[in-house]
């Protein structure tokens, strides 16, 4: 998928914290210094795998649409368990909020985008204020919006030993679920995307979270892509795979609702 990505200037492995997994890559539009809107992308991998370099196709594709894109690594199991990966992601948001202007960002709060476990992380940052509060931020004030792609938002009971190990520190365990935090505080606007053929994270997660957000007055949109599975929905960010699902189109439309603001697209 990276082979299908457009070219984009990238600053690699910038530290945002003290450890080897506390680095991030920043992709910038090639058409000028900005200012540009900012998006932070959190990848998935079941909280035990993942590397930012794999997602160059996401960063470059959004940069080609005029966004400064930040993709951090974060600590994974078994090095850490819940909620340490959330505190890492909150630190990445803080870096993005304070430093993205150095790379052409427009100074406004970033959008946070996540796929799979990364969508869980993003949703927890947006809905459970504890994690951003720990770094002096607030979900509604410091996030412009949330895009959740094929995310697990309501997945109790935990059905594998690995998940039970990862989320063992959550007491009560229900506190680990994004859906239970809906309505506990103000939240930014939300776009939820899922595929009807996803058997890794069932699309009911998306439908239930969308319903809860709507009930509590949070601006929310959701899309179910017919026949699209868990990997295809994020792979469709890349070049010639975009015909598989309108993931990139819908994400950009949500983050840039004014078409006149959009730059020309050549890729």
């Amino acid at each position: 998928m990276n082979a299908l990505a457009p070219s984009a200037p990238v600053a690699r492995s910038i530290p945002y914290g003290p450890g080897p997994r506390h680095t991030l890559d920043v992709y910038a539009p090639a058409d000028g210094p900005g200012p540009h809107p900012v998006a932070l992308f959190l990848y998935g991998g079941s909280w035990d795998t993942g590397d930012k370099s794999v997602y160059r196709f996401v960063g470059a594709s959004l940069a080609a649409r005029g966004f400064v894109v930040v993709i951090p690594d974060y600590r994974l199991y078994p090095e850490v368990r819940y909620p340490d990966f959330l505190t890492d992601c909150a630190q990445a948001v803080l870096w993005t909020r304070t430093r993205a202007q150095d790379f052409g960002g427009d100074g406004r709060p970033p959008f946070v985008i996540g796929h799979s476990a990364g969508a869980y992380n993003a949703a927890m940052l947006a809905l459970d204020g504890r994690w951003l509060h720990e770094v002096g931020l607030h979900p509604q004030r410091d996030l412009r919006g949330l895009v959740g792609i094929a995310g697990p938002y309501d997945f109790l009971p935990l059905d594998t030993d690995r998940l039970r190990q990862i989320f063992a520190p959550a007491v009560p365990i229900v506190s680990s679920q994004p859906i239970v935090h809906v309505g506990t505080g103000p939240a930014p606007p939300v776009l939820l995307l899922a595929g009807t053929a996803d058997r890794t994270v069932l699309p009911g997660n998306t439908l239930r979270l969308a319903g809860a957000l709507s009930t509590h007055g949070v601006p929310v949109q959701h899309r179910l892509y017919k026949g699209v599975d868990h990997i295809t929905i994020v792979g469709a960010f890349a070049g010639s795979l975009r015909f598989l699902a309108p993931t990139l189109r819908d994400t950009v439309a949500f983050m840039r609702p004014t078409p006149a603001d959009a730059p020309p697209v050549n890729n």
Side-chain angles (χ1 to χ4, degrees):
M1 288 183 284
N2 282 341
L4 302 174
S7 59
V10 56
R12 299 191 185 279
S13 295
I14 301 167
Y16 71 88
R21 294 283 301 178
H22 296 132
T23 67
L24 50 81
D25 294 343
V26 182
Y27 295 82
D31 60 352
H36 303 285
V38 179
L40 173 75
F41 177 78
L42 301 174
Y43 55 72
S46 300
W47 302 281
D48 60 7
T49 60
D51 188 283
K52 57 185 170 53
S53 65
V54 175
Y55 294 89
R56 183 174 67 83
F57 70 97
V58 175
S61 295
L62 288 169
R65 266 67 183 169
F67 295 89
V68 171
V69 185
V70 179
I71 304 182
D73 278 333
Y74 54 91
R75 291 174 297 166
L76 302 168
Y77 179 84
E79 179 186 358
V80 300
R81 303 182 186 190
Y82 171 96
D84 294 333
F85 40 79
L86 296 178
T87 62
D88 287 358
C89 291
Q91 287 286 348
V93 173
L94 176 62
W95 185 97
T96 303
R97 189 74 176 96
T98 57
R99 293 288 310 282
Q101 283 182 278
D102 299 343
F103 298 85
D106 61 8
R108 300 181 67 185
F111 294 91
V112 61
I113 309 169
H115 170 247
S116 191
Y120 167 92
N121 296 350
M124 286 294 279
L125 295 181
L127 300 175
D128 182 357
R130 290 179 292 171
W131 316 115
L132 289 184
H133 291 165
E134 285 184 357
V135 296
L137 302 178
H138 186 281
Q140 188 179 49
R141 184 191 67 208
D142 294 299
L143 296 177
R144 285 183 70 184
L146 161 67
V147 180
I149 303 170
Y153 313 116
D154 179 26
F155 56 98
L156 294 181
L158 303 176
D159 59 2
T160 69
D161 288 340
R162 178 61 61 93
L163 285 177
R164 285 189 282 270
Q165 287 292 319
I166 291 170
F167 288 96
V171 179
I173 189 62
V174 70
S175 67
S176 68
Q177 303 296 289
I179 197 167
V180 307
H181 300 287
V182 175
T184 60
V190 177
L191 172 66
L192 300 174
L193 307 175
T196 62
D198 193 335
R199 297 297 176 262
T200 303
V201 176
L202 297 179
N205 282 267
T206 289
L207 294 174
R208 291 191 296 275
L209 183 59
L213 290 166
S214 179
T215 296
H216 285 85
V218 178
V220 58
Q221 307 171 45
H222 75 277
R223 310 272 190 277
L224 293 184
Y225 301 147
K226 185 175 181 180
V228 173
D229 64 22
H230 193 68
I231 300 302
T232 301
I233 196 169
V234 68
F237 273 96
S240 59
L241 299 181
R242 290 177 192 147
F243 76 95
L244 295 171
T247 314
L248 178 63
R249 182 198 69 193
D250 289 348
T251 299
V252 170
F254 173 76
M255 296 193 299
R256 182 183 281 112
T258 308
D261 292 341
V265 174
N266 299 313
N267 291 287

